Amino acid sequence: MAAPWEDVLRNEAAIQEAAAVAVDAALLEGVLMRTEREPNASDVVNFAPFTLLPSAVPSALFEQAYAVQQDFNLLVDAISQNKEFLEHTLASTIKVDDFTAQLFRIHMQVLEEGLAQSVFLGINRSDYMFDCGVDGTPALKQIEINTIAASFGGLTSRTAAVHGRVLKVLGKSEEASRLLPNNPSKGLALGIAKAWELYGSQSAVVMFLVEEVQRNIFDQRCVENELWNRNIRVIRKRFRDVFEKGSLDDAKRLYMNGQEVAVVYYREGYVPKNYDQQNWEARLLLERSRAVKCPDIATQLAGTKKVQQELSRPGMLERLLPGHTEAIARIRATFAGLYSLDMGEEGDKIAATAIADPDRFVLKPQREGGGNNLYGEELRQVLEKIRDSPERTSYILMDKIKPQPAMNYLLRAHSPLQVSECISELGIFGVYVRQDKEMVMNKAAGHLLRTKAIEHADGGVAAGVAVLDSPYLV
Ligand code: ADP
Ligand code: MG
């Protein structure tokens, strides 16, 4: 993709001026993060890292990503209700991956007890890159779908205004007017509000379950504010608070300090380091409750890398979404090659192929949050070491997606201004609400574009690698 800003990219004076305006605009608009030094205080905050210029995104692929989001919502929801599929798919993983195994144990325990929850709320983000084929035509390929704690819907609701200002300063008012409106925080809040309403208790609250370290609090506050604007009370608690103050009554209604909780929105609980023994007990208490969990534990499991890989097997989507022929075609068109490393001939063969040609693949463990995947020489070494051991089943292999880089400036606090060769990842937020068997809401709620320098193979914004961006459709 040719960068639409070639004419200004090397104009140092113009770029310097625009960068100063950009940073102030980000602070004014609220594109904020707490600092690494004081992650739990708002006395001193900084702008969240972002690109100086919006990045070019092919409009056809952008539309394709929006068009498939309701299908992905349906799919995730269907998987979460399919006990046999989850059991069968995760059987090999839970033998070697303790974290997935522990989630799975809670899932089974809750099912055995009988679900108390009847309203279900899903907030996910499906992430894509634009794979550059041999003939140079870009194709939309899914990286993964995040079914728990998908972040940056708040801050990204404010980045288009910043980029609009930058373009105007650079003499590009026409282009500025073409930037798309985007407000995921409102869309996410509408989903939470709907679930709250269906839960049916005016006095009950929405509980944001948050991490001990809360650098990204402003992103969450954007969603929180939308709920307060609708007169829905929000509390912020940690697993530790739930362990100490949480309880269930006879009808499994959840109470925090005597206050009824209608919806639990997890911005926590997606990686092993979020849990100690007490936190696992708190998680179990939440899952057993009648409160609407966003997501419930089955939906979290539906977002594992192992599930993603199994979905790409021929016939699997047809089994999960019978009768949805068109939705299946739209979903499948976004799949890159995905391969199981389960023990057996199929796994042996793909492991050998990847060892011989590591640059074709990405090796992924069952982890979230960025920085866990293996590439190139490291992929080869690790795979060589574990190729004959069941340990290999804790990973999946995926075709490496190769987007066309474009030049941009990544603005970070305390970093020099320099031009970088960059690639972008587009995320679409999905929101749905189901009451018993009936879907009462199914929407795409906005987008997130993240961009990183090509020297980083892995990692998101929170991991300090990617930065916030806005799509400029071409
Ligand atoms: P996580 O759950 O850690 O976010 P992802 O699957 O999103 O895991 O991978 C993290 C990052 O690694 C992505 O944001 C992307 O930059 C890169 N990545 C993942 N899969 C691929 C792939 N198949 N090809 C190229 N890059 C990839
Ligand atoms: Mg990711």
Side-chain angles (χ1 to χ4, degrees), residues 27-38:
L27 292 165
L28 270 176
E29 293 292 338
V31 185
L32 302 173
M33 256 189 174
R34 285 175 173 169
T35 62
E36 220 171 319
R37 266 182 68 181
E38 287 187 79

Side-chain angles (χ1 to χ4, degrees), residues 14-25:
I15 290 292
Q16 290 283 355
E17 186 195 345
V21 171
V23 167
D24 289 344

Side-chain angles (χ1 to χ4, degrees), residues 54-106:
S55 292
V57 167
S59 56
L61 302 191
F62 187 79
E63 280 161 26
Q64 187 189 347
Y66 264 94
V68 72
Q69 187 54 46
Q70 285 168 301
D71 306 324
F72 272 117
N73 290 345
L74 271 186
L75 177 62
V76 169
D77 187 50
I79 296 168
S80 77
Q81 296 173 77
N82 194 324
K83 176 172 174 266
E84 290 71 33
F85 172 81
L86 282 175
E87 203 168 356
H88 183 251
T89 298
L90 295 172
S92 58
T93 309
I94 63 179
K95 282 192 199 134
V96 285
D97 188 82
D98 291 341
F99 178 63
T100 311
Q102 184 60 29
L103 292 173
F104 191 78
R105 268 196 290 277
I106 294 180

